[in-house]
Amino acid sequence: MRELDPSVRPLFLCTEREIDRVLLEPTGEAFVQQPIVPPTRSVGGLLRFWQAWRATNDLVKKLIDEHQPVAVLGLGGYAAGVAVKLAGRRKLPTGILNPDVVPGKANVYLMPYCRRIYLGHDAASEHVPQEHRDKCLTTGVPLRPGMEQRGDRDAACRRFDLDPRLNTLLVTGASQGAKTINEAIVETARRSTTGGGPFQGWQVLHLAGRDHAETVREAWRTTTMNGRAKVLDFTPDMHDVWSAADLAVSRSGAGTCAEVAAMAVPTVFMPYPFHKDMHQAANAKVLADAGAAVIVDDRKDAAANADALQPVLKGLLYQSERRASMRDAAEKVAKRDAAMRVAKDLLDLTGVA
């Protein structure tokens, strides 16, 4: 938005989770942590949610009065609920970003209060209530700066102390890691590396998550991949991560799927299996249907996941032509200008552009 109008001063309203602070502090952007918490299905959980909602409501009213925003944009989670609702009631230009194919409960709740619904995929419109479809604009999913195309692979490998001469398998469960994926890939490696196996000639860059990293490091030490598995708890340098990757095993959150497409990385998606609406599976299906990805259901068990994952990986690790075809398919579905499209439309809504 600042590229379009240098006078723009963003203010991010986030939660009190540590990951929000970790992500926002290095950007230098102004942010305010709200006491809002997600609702849970228990008497105590609902009471905490209601108390936190009221406290957040008071805070956001004060912030709106103090900052006089010209627009409010919700980014798809419960943290946006209070601000979008209050802004909508005050007739301020409001929008919500809907990156997932299946809208989350927070976004569905906020649709009556917003003027624009920015869709990550055309397929998402089918899940928007009929009375709000005229608000929809398909933009794609905004990417962080620099993520529009792959960087130098060898330099990216050296950035993580990887050998540029080896192919790199990226394993990631997004910013907080994914325990079932962590366990599945190590179990697959234990089975595969005997006698060289299908991991021969490959190295692993494993983003395990802060809560899982040490356990995962110890697990890799029990495999013959020990010296070729680099484990990180978290890194903000995802451009280098994707640039180093020749193949990935990953969750399929909307942001991850957008990065996979933009960076053209052949990927095996293991969608998060604990959401009722299975929206990560719907996200992954967009890329799988295009030929850019393969889906392996997360069976929530290390042995069962390894059983399913092993033959799929075996069919990709040593089929360079298939990986090349998947990269080409990803290029065709990538939407690299989503952030600018959202920014332009939001400024148009304000009437000050």
Side-chain angles (χ1 to χ4, degrees):
M1 291 188 74
R2 272 196 294 260
E3 287 183 33
L4 298 170
D5 183 349
S7 71
V8 168
R9 292 180 296 130
L11 175 64
F12 288 84
L13 305 186
C14 61
T15 74
E16 293 180 340
R17 298 183 310 163
E18 181 189 11
I19 189 64
D20 289 6
R21 180 185 57 77
V22 168
L23 290 172
L24 285 167
E25 274 187 349
T27 70
E29 302 290 356
F31 67 92
V32 175
Q33 292 182 291
Q34 307 169 104
I36 191 70
V37 297
T40 55
R41 292 186 177 182
S42 68
V43 174
L46 290 173
L47 179 60
R48 283 190 295 273
F49 171 72
W50 175 242
Q51 291 171 334
W53 180 278
R54 291 183 64 183
T56 302
N57 194 70
D58 292 341
L59 172 64
V60 174
K61 281 182 178 178
K62 181 180 177 181
L63 290 169
I64 290 177
D65 290 340
E66 177 183 346
H67 291 274
Q68 295 292 305
V70 296
V72 173
L73 177 66
L75 299 183
Y78 66 89
V82 173
V84 171
K85 184 175 182 179
L86 286 176
R89 283 182 166 178
R90 294 193 186 194
K91 308 302 182 184
L92 290 170
T94 55
I96 52 174
L97 186 67
N98 189 81
D100 293 299
V101 171
V102 180
K105 290 180 180 179
N107 269 355
V108 173
Y109 173 77
L110 292 173
M111 286 177 185
Y113 301 99
C114 66
R115 296 190 195 176
R116 185 77 79 230
I117 303 167
Y118 299 107
L119 301 181
H121 309 276
D122 287 326
S125 64
E126 300 172 12
H127 301 276
V128 173
Q130 185 69 43
E131 64 269 25
H132 300 304
R133 290 183 184 176
D134 61 341
K135 303 176 183 179
C136 292
L137 177 66
T138 300
T139 59
V141 179
L143 298 162
R144 67 193 81 193
M147 200 65 80
E148 294 83 6
Q149 58 185 6
R150 292 175 70 97
D152 181 90
R153 181 188 178 277
D154 289 1
C157 284
R158 288 191 290 269
R159 163 78 175 76
F160 298 109
D161 197 26
L162 297 169
D163 186 344
R165 297 169 297 180
L166 297 176
N167 287 323
T168 302
L169 173 65
L170 168 65
V171 181
T172 175
S175 58
Q176 298 183 69
K179 185 173 183 290
T180 53
I181 289 182
N182 293 343
E183 293 172 345
I185 197 68
V186 174
E187 176 61 24
T188 303
R190 286 196 184 107
R191 299 178 182 187
S192 302
T193 51
T194 304
F199 277 86
Q200 188 175 11
W202 285 75
Q203 60 195 337
V204 175
L205 177 58
H206 193 152
L207 274 58
R210 292 179 184 274
D211 294 338
H212 312 295
E214 193 48 50
T215 300
V216 171
R217 286 190 188 98
E218 185 57 38
W220 277 113
R221 292 186 190 110
T222 67
T223 76
T224 57
M225 287 288 293
N226 182 23
R228 290 183 282 129
K230 176 74 173 181
V231 178
L232 302 177
D233 55 356
F234 169 80
T235 177
D237 300 322
M238 288 303 296
H239 180 263
D240 284 340
V241 167
W242 291 116
S243 295
D246 299 287
L247 178 67
V249 177
S250 174
R251 286 288 191 233
S252 49
T256 296
C257 288
E259 291 175 357
V260 164
M263 301 295 281
V265 177
T267 298
V268 179
F269 285 124
M270 297 184 71
Y272 185 74
F274 301 103
H275 286 141
K276 271 191 172 182
D277 63 10
M278 292 299 290
H279 64 265
Q280 285 204 5
N283 295 340
K285 187 175 184 297
V286 173
L287 288 175
D289 286 351
V294 177
I295 299 174
V296 171
D297 292 335
D298 188 331
R299 291 155 172 81
K300 311 174 191 177
D301 174 81
N305 279 336
D307 287 342
L309 189 59
Q310 189 169 356
V312 174
L313 282 179
K314 188 176 181 180
L316 287 169
L317 291 169
Y318 294 103
Q319 293 184 17
S320 59
E321 289 184 2
R322 186 179 177 194
R323 295 197 307 273
S325 175
M326 293 170 74
R327 284 194 294 271
D328 290 343
E331 289 279 1
K332 292 175 182 176
V333 298
K335 293 183 174 69
R336 295 181 172 87
D337 62 344
M340 184 58 74
R341 295 183 69 184
V342 172
K344 285 180 178 177
D345 187 73
L346 194 59
L347 282 176
D348 287 344
L349 289 180
T350 69
V352 298

